[in-house]
Amino acid sequence: MANQILIADDDARIRDVVRFALEDSGFQITEAATGLEALDRFGETPADLVVLDIGMPDMDGLDACREIRQKSNVPILFLTARDEEIDRILGFQLGGDDYVTKPFSPRELVLRIRAILARSASPAPADDVTVVQDLRLDENAHRCTLSEVELQLTGIEFSVLATLAKSPDRVFSRSQLIEQVYGQNTYLSGRTVDSHIRNIRQKARAAGYPDLIQTVHGIGVKLGVCQC
C-alpha cells in the first residue's frame, strides 16, 4: 500500500511541486494551506509522514508539530525559508525528524522522505537492547534511559545515539553517521547531524550526564561517559 503523505504549506506553488514529485514516486498525498488545516487533515486522514512548512498563517509549522506530537510519533519533515540555526534546533527539539531549506530539490526531498519512512518501517530484532554503563536503548520500545531517567528522543536522535552506543569505542565522522542513520547515497549537510547531536547532549545534560557524546576534534564524535 502506498504511503500517505500530508503536505502543509501556504504557498500553492510549493505544494504543487511537492505533490507532483511525491505522486510521481508512488505516494498518496493530502494537502493543507495552514497549520490549523494541517491538524484537521491529519485527524481525518492519518499520515505516514508530515511535511510542514515552518512559516504558515494562523498556526506555524512549529506549533502544528507540537500539537501533532501530543498524539502521534509520525515522522515530521520541516520546510523552511529561513536557514537559521534557531529554526533547526527548535524544530528538532519539538520532535522534527529532518528539515529542508527552500529552495530545494524535489528529488532530494523524495530521497529524504524515503529514507525516513524506510527507517521507521524497519522492525527492530527481538530483544534488540543496547546497554553501555548507565545508558540503555530498547529499539523495540523506542525507549532510551540513563539510569532511571528516560530521554525523550526523536526518531533521528534515537538512531544517532544507538549508532554510537553499538560501537562505543569508534569515532564516527559526520558522513559516517549520515550513512548509518539515513542510508547510503543520502546527501545531507553536516549541520543536520550537528543539530541532532546538540539536542541529544542537551537532553542528556538535563538528566545529569553532560559528557554522553564526546567530540574528537578533527575527526568526529563517539560515545562518551555514560556513568555518573
Side-chain angles (χ1 to χ4, degrees):
M1 184 179 295
N3 289 111
Q4 183 77 38
I5 310 295
L6 170 60
I7 307 166
D9 196 301
D10 60 321
D11 190 327
R13 293 171 299 179
I14 291 179
R15 292 202 309 274
D16 286 344
V17 168
V18 176
R19 184 181 72 252
F20 293 151
L22 292 178
E23 286 181 340
D24 190 54
S25 298
F27 294 102
Q28 295 182 349
I29 306 301
T30 306
E31 295 185 41
T34 70
L36 287 176
E37 186 179 354
L39 295 181
D40 290 339
R41 295 288 179 272
F42 186 76
E44 295 167 357
T45 307
D48 298 302
L49 183 142
V50 180
V51 178
L52 284 178
D53 178 34
I54 288 183
M56 290 187 290
D58 75 32
M59 175 183 285
D60 65 22
L62 299 177
D63 287 336
C65 178
R66 281 193 190 94
E67 293 294 325
I68 291 173
R69 277 290 169 261
Q70 291 181 7
K71 53 190 174 184
S72 174
N73 288 320
V74 64
I76 293 175
L77 183 147
F78 287 108
L79 297 179
T80 176
R82 299 172 289 175
D83 191 21
E84 298 175 3
E85 186 176 36
I86 185 62
D87 280 344
R88 298 195 302 273
I89 294 175
L90 184 54
F92 290 137
Q93 287 175 340
L94 290 174
D97 292 270
D98 202 353
Y99 78 97
V100 172
T101 304
K102 301 175 185 178
F104 56 87
S105 160
R107 180 174 179 273
E108 178 189 357
L109 180 66
V110 171
L111 288 174
R112 292 198 187 203
I113 288 174
R114 286 193 183 283
I116 294 171
L117 289 172
R119 186 175 56 255
S120 300
S122 297
D127 300 323
D128 194 355
V129 176
T130 302
V131 178
V132 182
Q133 297 178 5
D134 291 349
L135 175 65
R136 186 178 190 276
L137 291 153
D138 184 337
E139 296 193 39
N140 289 292
H142 189 82
R143 187 168 186 262
C144 171
T145 56
L146 281 166
S147 189
E148 299 301 320
V149 180
E150 182 171 356
L151 299 191
Q152 299 298 324
L153 302 179
T154 67
I156 297 291
E157 291 166 6
F158 189 96
S159 295
V160 169
L161 188 54
T163 298
L164 297 177
K166 288 176 180 177
S167 302
D169 297 321
R170 177 180 173 182
V171 179
F172 288 85
S173 66
R174 285 172 168 177
S175 60
Q176 288 170 335
L177 273 179
I178 289 172
E179 181 176 319
Q180 290 289 324
V181 173
Y182 288 90
Q184 294 181 342
N185 301 319
T186 301
Y187 304 100
L188 296 175
S189 165
R191 293 179 300 174
T192 301
V193 175
D194 291 344
S195 296
H196 291 302
I197 290 173
R198 188 180 298 110
N199 288 338
I200 296 170
R201 282 173 167 159
Q202 182 180 22
K203 294 172 182 179
R205 187 179 301 113
Y209 294 78
D211 302 313
L212 183 62
I213 297 180
Q214 175 185 348
T215 297
V216 180
H217 294 288
I219 304 177
V221 296
K222 62 176 291 187
L223 195 69
V225 178
C226 307
Q227 196 168 34
C228 288

